Structures are given as structure tokens and as C-alpha cells.
Amino acid sequence: MSFKQIPLTCGGHTRPVVNLAFSGISEHGYFLISACKDGKPMLRQGDTGDWIGTFEGHKGAVWGVALNEDGTKAATGAADFTAKIWNAVTGEEVISLQHNHIVKSVNFSSDGDLFVTGSNEKIIRVFDLNRLDSEPIVMCGHTNGLRHVSFFNNNKMLVSCAEDKTLRVWDRLSGQEVQKMNFNSCPNSLEVSNDESTITVTHGNSVSFLKSDGLSCIQEMKIPTKVFSASLHPNKSVFVCGGEDLIMYKYDYLSGIELDAYKGHFGPLHCVRFSPDGELYASGSEDGTVRLWQTNVGKSYGLWKCADELSDDIKSINVSRAAAAV
């Protein structure tokens, strides 16, 4: 029996959703944060899309978002030239880090001790969250604004992409660039796989998969549209992507065969991400919505569960987070 893909629509934003990030899995499940040009990033329960809260404080479009592994801290980067770190349980701002231009990308290290930003200053900054009074490590080399930057290799290295049509690898301790890769068009998205062995990059009509050790190309897939974002399943069985034509695509990773093509959004897709358990993927669009899609259509999971199961789960999650906030 075949099932129809029915995505869950998460409203609340009033302008385009431009970035998404999931936390890891903790005792409270996992969480999803969305960046939007309305300047009000939102936190949601990851498997259901239920709204938890909105981080209030930015005075401009929010371009980058991140959650630490257990979902207790959130980070945002915005057009007001600041990157902010938040207590994701209480919603309170922990610190605001001033920059000299728009902050496009923010990320936590896997151990939660480090924090990286990429901005239109063409600069990468790495902050020690245990010593925020110390100066950040600064990495320079890009010749145009940063798009994305992430840690990998047990937080010893960073990978970044920018509007200068390059992807670069950096040694975190020395702050030096160790490798550069050129593209014919601007890389639109960047993702490091869960095992940190594969880097997924979108550029033009292509999705490229690179070995993180050396940047050799594993494979490159042509997509029937200008693609803005792609995400590789945690077990590397499939990948999803979307872009200009409003369609969410799913491909077999090994064969490159297109498995599904769904239309749900009413504007281009700016960002797509798999959940940490791989059971669903989220998309954010120019239409101002976040949508959740099932990896295995018809499986009982999240809001696709029966009503009795879902009611018990939501009650348990709400009680747990309420207790944690006290």
C-alpha cells in the first residue's frame, strides 16, 4: 500500500524562512529552530513542529541559527550586526556579540564549548564560551561575505563557504586556511554529515558530496532547478534538496535515482535539514512557513501518530521542560 506525503505546516513567521537547525537527541526529544527575515527566530519541538517559544531581541532579519547538542542553548546571527546566544529553556538572552556587518552563520562545536560566526565582514570568528571575556580567534581569507561555517574533525577544523565562490577549510588552533575549493557559482548551502566524513554543498543546479579529509568529490548530482539547500540522511541512504522551483526532491544517495518530488511550499525553498534520527526532514521557504516531511511515508511518528499516543507524548514533554525551567 502506498501513502500520500502530507507535510506538517508550521506557521508563525511573517517573512521568508532562510535557515533551519536541529538539536541532537536528549531526554526531552529534539528541537528545531528557524531563522526568518522577520527577526524573530522560533523554537519548536522537532518531531511535531509544536511551537515552544520565540527569541525576542534582534532588530533586523535573522540569517543564521543553531542549537547545541542537548537543545539547551540557541544561537542566532542577524542583520543588526550581532550574534546572540540564548538560554533555550527560559528564552533569555545570555550574551550579544557585536560584529561590524551582517552575521550570516552561527554554529556550536559538538562539545558546546566553542561558538563560530561568519559575517559579511569576510571574517570567521571562533569564541570560547567558557572564556567570553577573551578575544576570539579570527580567520581571514574569503574575499566576499560568508554564507556558512561549521566545525568538523572533532572541532579541530572548520569549513566555510562564501559569496566569493569558494569553500575553505581552516585549522582552528592556528587560524590558518589549509585548503580551498573553487566553484563556478556561489555555494548556497553547506552541511557536515553526522559522522563528519562528508560535506554536502549546493551550487547552481548541483549537489556535491565531498570527503571532509581532502575535499575530493565523492559524487555530484544535477538537480532540475537551481538548488538552494540539501541535506544528507544520517545513515547516508538518501538526500533531500530544494530550491527555485518550489519542489522538495528526494534522491537515493548511492544510485542518484530520484525517489520523490513533492510540491507543498508556495515559494522557493531556502533551507532543508534532516532530523537527528532521520525520521523526518524540515524545509523553510520564501512563503514564510516551515514544513515537516516524513522520510518513510505512512510510518507512525510525531504528529503522524495516532491521537492517543501523541497526547501522552506532548504532556510528558511539556512537563519535563516546565520542570527544567523552574
Side-chain angles (χ1 to χ4, degrees), residues 248-290:
M248 172 64 77
Y249 294 95
K250 182 166 73 171
Y251 288 82
D252 182 277
Y253 174 64
L254 293 178
S255 69
I257 295 173
E258 182 184 305
L259 302 175
D260 292 308
Y262 299 114
K263 201 165 187 178
H265 284 289
F266 298 97
L269 280 69
H270 294 305
C271 43
V272 297
R273 280 292 178 267
F274 267 108
S275 62
D277 60 4
E279 292 289 352
L280 61 82
Y281 44 100
S283 57
S285 166
E286 183 75 15
D287 66 15
T289 67
V290 174

Side-chain angles (χ1 to χ4, degrees), residues 13 26 28 57-58 81 88 93 113 138 191 234 270 320:
H13 286 301
S26 71
H28 304 301
H58 280 296
F81 295 12
E93 181 181 311
D113 289 336
V138 174
E191 180 188 73
H270 294 305
S320 297

Side-chain angles (χ1 to χ4, degrees), residues 13-35:
H13 286 301
T14 59
R15 295 197 64 202
V17 177
V18 292
N19 196 238
L20 295 168
F22 282 100
S23 71
I25 301 173
S26 71
E27 60 181 314
H28 304 301
Y30 61 89
F31 305 97
L32 171 66
I33 188 171
S34 53

